[in-house]
Coordinates of all heavy atoms in Angstrom, one line a residue:
Chain G
L46 N -58.0 -34.6 32.0 CA -59.0 -34.3 32.9 C -60.3 -34.3 32.2 O -60.6 -33.6 31.3 CB -58.7 -32.9 33.6 CG -59.7 -32.4 34.6 CD1 -59.8 -33.4 35.8 CD2 -59.3 -31.1 35.2
L47 N -61.4 -35.0 32.8 CA -62.8 -35.0 32.2 C -63.7 -34.2 33.0 O -64.5 -33.3 32.4 CB -63.2 -36.6 32.3 CG -64.3 -37.0 31.5 CD1 -64.2 -36.7 29.9 CD2 -64.6 -38.5 31.7
I48 N -63.9 -34.4 34.2 CA -64.8 -33.7 35.1 C -64.4 -33.9 36.5 O -63.8 -34.9 36.8 CB -66.2 -34.2 34.8 CG1 -67.2 -33.5 35.6 CG2 -66.3 -35.7 35.2 CD1 -68.7 -33.8 35.3
A49 N -64.6 -33.0 37.4 CA -64.3 -33.0 38.9 C -65.4 -32.4 39.7 O -66.2 -31.6 39.3 CB -63.0 -32.2 39.0
I50 N -65.4 -32.7 40.9 CA -66.4 -32.4 41.9 C -65.7 -32.1 43.3 O -64.7 -32.7 43.6 CB -67.6 -33.4 41.9 CG1 -68.8 -32.8 42.5 CG2 -67.2 -34.6 42.8 CD1 -70.0 -33.7 42.5
R51 N -66.4 -31.2 44.1 CA -66.1 -31.0 45.4 C -67.2 -31.5 46.3 O -68.3 -31.6 45.8 CB -65.7 -29.5 45.7 CG -64.5 -29.1 45.0 CD -64.2 -27.6 45.5 NE -62.9 -27.2 45.1 CZ -61.7 -27.5 45.8 NH1 -61.7 -28.3 46.8 NH2 -60.6 -27.1 45.3
P52 N -66.9 -31.8 47.5 CA -67.9 -32.3 48.4 C -69.0 -31.5 48.8 O -70.1 -32.0 49.4 CB -67.3 -32.8 49.7 CG -65.8 -32.8 49.3 CD -65.6 -31.7 48.3
D53 N -69.1 -30.3 48.4 CA -70.2 -29.4 48.8 C -71.4 -29.6 47.8 O -72.4 -28.9 48.0 CB -69.7 -27.9 48.8 CG -69.0 -27.4 47.6 OD1 -68.7 -28.4 46.6 OD2 -68.7 -26.2 47.4
V54 N -71.2 -30.3 46.8 CA -72.3 -30.5 45.9 C -72.5 -32.0 45.7 O -71.5 -32.8 45.8 CB -72.2 -29.8 44.5 CG1 -72.2 -28.4 44.6 CG2 -70.9 -30.3 43.8
S55 N -73.7 -32.6 45.4 CA -73.9 -33.9 45.4 C -74.0 -34.5 43.9 O -73.8 -35.7 43.6 CB -75.3 -34.3 45.9 OG -76.3 -33.6 45.3
E56 N -74.0 -33.5 42.9 CA -73.9 -33.9 41.6 C -73.4 -32.8 40.8 O -73.6 -31.6 40.9 CB -75.4 -34.2 41.1 CG -75.5 -34.8 39.7 CD -76.9 -35.2 39.3 OE1 -77.3 -36.3 39.7 OE2 -77.5 -34.4 38.6
K57 N -72.6 -33.2 39.7 CA -72.2 -32.2 38.7 C -72.2 -32.9 37.2 O -71.9 -34.0 37.1 CB -70.7 -32.0 38.9 CG -70.0 -30.8 38.1 CD -68.7 -30.3 38.4 CE -68.2 -29.2 37.5 NZ -66.9 -28.9 37.9
K58 N -72.8 -32.1 36.4 CA -73.0 -32.6 35.0 C -72.3 -31.6 34.0 O -72.4 -30.5 33.9 CB -74.5 -32.6 34.7 CG -74.9 -33.2 33.4 CD -76.4 -33.3 33.2 CE -76.9 -33.9 31.9 NZ -78.3 -33.9 31.7
E59 N -71.6 -32.4 33.0 CA -71.1 -31.7 31.9 C -71.3 -32.5 30.7 O -70.7 -33.5 30.4 CB -69.5 -31.5 32.2 CG -69.2 -30.4 33.2 CD -67.7 -30.1 33.3 OE1 -66.9 -30.7 32.6 OE2 -67.4 -29.4 34.3
G60 N -72.2 -32.1 29.9 CA -72.7 -32.8 28.7 C -73.1 -34.1 29.1 O -74.1 -34.3 29.9
R61 N -72.6 -35.1 28.5 CA -72.9 -36.5 28.7 C -72.4 -37.2 30.0 O -72.8 -38.2 30.4 CB -72.7 -37.4 27.6 CG -73.3 -37.1 26.3 CD -73.0 -38.1 25.2 NE -71.8 -38.1 24.7 CZ -70.8 -39.1 24.9 NH1 -71.3 -40.1 25.7 NH2 -69.7 -39.0 24.5
F62 N -71.5 -36.3 30.7 CA -70.8 -36.8 31.9 C -71.3 -36.3 33.0 O -71.6 -35.0 33.2 CB -69.3 -36.6 31.7 CG -68.6 -37.2 30.5 CD1 -68.6 -36.6 29.3 CD2 -68.2 -38.5 30.6 CE1 -68.0 -37.1 28.1 CE2 -67.6 -39.1 29.3 CZ -67.5 -38.4 28.2
T63 N -71.6 -37.2 34.1 CA -72.1 -36.7 35.4 C -71.4 -37.4 36.5 O -71.2 -38.5 36.4 CB -73.7 -37.1 35.6 OG1 -74.4 -36.4 34.4 CG2 -74.2 -36.6 36.9
I64 N -71.1 -36.6 37.5 CA -70.6 -37.1 38.7 C -71.6 -37.1 39.8 O -72.1 -36.1 40.1 CB -69.2 -36.4 39.3 CG1 -68.1 -36.3 38.2 CG2 -68.7 -37.1 40.5 CD1 -66.9 -35.6 38.6
S65 N -71.8 -38.2 40.4 CA -72.6 -38.2 41.6 C -71.8 -38.4 42.9 O -70.9 -39.2 42.9 CB -73.6 -39.4 41.6 OG -74.5 -39.2 40.5
F66 N -72.1 -37.6 44.0 CA -71.2 -37.7 45.1 C -71.9 -37.9 46.3 O -72.9 -37.2 46.6 CB -70.4 -36.3 45.2 CG -69.3 -36.4 46.3 CD1 -68.0 -36.7 45.9 CD2 -69.6 -35.9 47.6 CE1 -67.0 -36.9 46.9 CE2 -68.7 -36.0 48.5 CZ -67.3 -36.4 48.3
N67 N -71.6 -38.9 47.1 CA -72.3 -39.3 48.4 C -71.3 -39.1 49.5 O -70.4 -40.0 49.7 CB -72.9 -40.6 48.3 CG -73.7 -40.9 49.6 OD1 -73.4 -40.5 50.6 ND2 -74.7 -41.8 49.5
K68 N -71.3 -38.0 50.2 CA -70.4 -37.7 51.3 C -70.4 -38.5 52.4 O -69.4 -39.1 52.9 CB -70.4 -36.2 51.7 CG -69.3 -35.7 52.6 CD -69.6 -34.3 52.9 CE -68.3 -33.7 53.7 NZ -68.5 -32.3 54.0
S69 N -71.6 -38.9 52.9 CA -71.7 -39.7 54.1 C -71.2 -41.2 53.8 O -70.7 -41.7 54.6 CB -73.2 -39.8 54.5 OG -74.1 -40.3 53.5
A70 N -71.5 -41.7 52.5 CA -70.9 -43.0 52.1 C -69.5 -42.9 51.7 O -69.0 -44.0 51.5 CB -71.8 -43.5 51.2
K71 N -68.9 -41.8 51.5 CA -67.6 -41.6 51.0 C -67.4 -42.4 49.6 O -66.6 -43.1 49.4 CB -66.5 -42.0 52.0 CG -66.4 -41.1 53.1 CD -65.4 -41.5 54.1 CE -65.7 -42.6 55.1 NZ -64.8 -42.9 56.2
Q72 N -68.4 -42.1 48.8 CA -68.4 -42.7 47.5 C -68.7 -41.6 46.4 O -69.5 -40.7 46.7 CB -69.5 -43.9 47.3 CG -69.2 -44.9 48.3 CD -70.3 -46.1 48.3 OE1 -71.4 -45.8 47.8 NE2 -70.0 -47.1 48.9
F73 N -68.2 -41.8 45.4 CA -68.6 -41.0 44.1 C -68.6 -41.9 42.8 O -67.8 -42.9 42.8 CB -67.7 -39.8 44.1 CG -66.2 -40.0 43.9 CD1 -65.6 -39.8 42.7 CD2 -65.5 -40.6 44.9 CE1 -64.2 -40.0 42.5 CE2 -64.1 -40.7 44.8 CZ -63.6 -40.5 43.6
S74 N -69.2 -41.5 41.8 CA -69.5 -42.3 40.7 C -69.4 -41.4 39.4 O -69.8 -40.2 39.5 CB -70.7 -43.2 40.7 OG -71.8 -42.4 40.8
L75 N -69.1 -42.0 38.3 CA -69.2 -41.3 37.1 C -70.2 -42.1 36.1 O -70.2 -43.3 36.0 CB -67.8 -41.4 36.3 CG -67.8 -40.9 34.8 CD1 -67.9 -39.3 34.9 CD2 -66.5 -41.3 34.2
H76 N -71.1 -41.3 35.6 CA -72.2 -41.8 34.7 C -71.9 -41.2 33.3 O -71.8 -40.0 33.2 CB -73.4 -41.5 35.1 CG -74.0 -42.0 36.5 ND1 -75.1 -42.7 36.7 CD2 -73.3 -41.9 37.7 CE1 -75.1 -43.1 38.0 NE2 -74.1 -42.6 38.6
I77 N -71.8 -42.0 32.4 CA -71.7 -41.6 31.0 C -73.0 -42.0 30.3 O -73.3 -43.0 30.0 CB -70.4 -42.1 30.2 CG1 -69.2 -42.0 31.0 CG2 -70.3 -41.6 28.9 CD1 -68.0 -42.7 30.4
M78 N -73.8 -40.9 30.0 CA -75.0 -41.2 29.3 C -74.8 -41.3 27.7 O -73.8 -40.8 27.2 CB -75.9 -39.9 29.5 CG -76.1 -39.5 31.0 SD -76.7 -40.8 32.0 CE -78.3 -40.7 31.6
D79 N -75.7 -42.1 27.1 CA -75.6 -42.2 25.6 C -74.1 -42.5 25.2 O -73.6 -41.8 24.5 CB -76.0 -40.9 24.9 CG -76.2 -41.1 23.5 OD1 -76.4 -42.2 23.0 OD2 -76.0 -40.0 22.8
S80 N -73.6 -43.6 25.8 CA -72.3 -43.9 25.6 C -71.9 -44.2 24.2 O -72.8 -44.8 23.3 CB -71.9 -45.3 26.4 OG -72.1 -45.0 27.8
Q81 N -70.8 -43.7 23.6 CA -70.4 -43.8 22.2 C -69.1 -44.7 22.0 O -68.3 -44.7 23.0 CB -70.2 -42.4 21.7 CG -71.4 -41.5 21.7 CD -72.6 -42.1 20.8 OE1 -72.3 -42.4 19.6 NE2 -73.8 -42.1 21.4
P82 N -69.0 -45.3 20.9 CA -67.7 -46.0 20.7 C -66.4 -45.2 21.0 O -65.4 -45.7 21.5 CB -67.8 -46.5 19.2 CG -69.3 -46.5 19.1 CD -69.8 -45.5 19.8
G83 N -66.5 -43.9 20.7 CA -65.5 -42.8 20.9 C -65.2 -42.8 22.6 O -64.1 -42.3 22.8
D84 N -66.1 -43.1 23.3 CA -65.8 -43.1 24.7 C -65.0 -44.3 25.2 O -64.5 -44.4 26.5 CB -67.2 -43.2 25.6 CG -68.0 -42.0 25.2 OD1 -67.5 -40.9 24.8 OD2 -69.3 -42.1 25.2

Side-chain angles (χ1 to χ4, degrees):
Chain G
L46 180 62
L47 195 59
I48 187 173
I50 198 168
R51 291 191 170 278
D53 52 348
V54 296
S55 59
E56 186 174 283
K57 183 174 181 180
K58 185 176 180 180
E59 288 184 3
R61 296 185 294 110
F62 300 92
T63 300
I64 301 179
S65 297
F66 189 87
N67 186 329
K68 188 174 181 178
S69 60
K71 291 185 282 187
Q72 294 175 349
F73 58 110
S74 59
L75 176 69
H76 296 236
I77 306 174
M78 312 300 286
D79 187 27
S80 299
Q81 299 296 312
D84 297 331

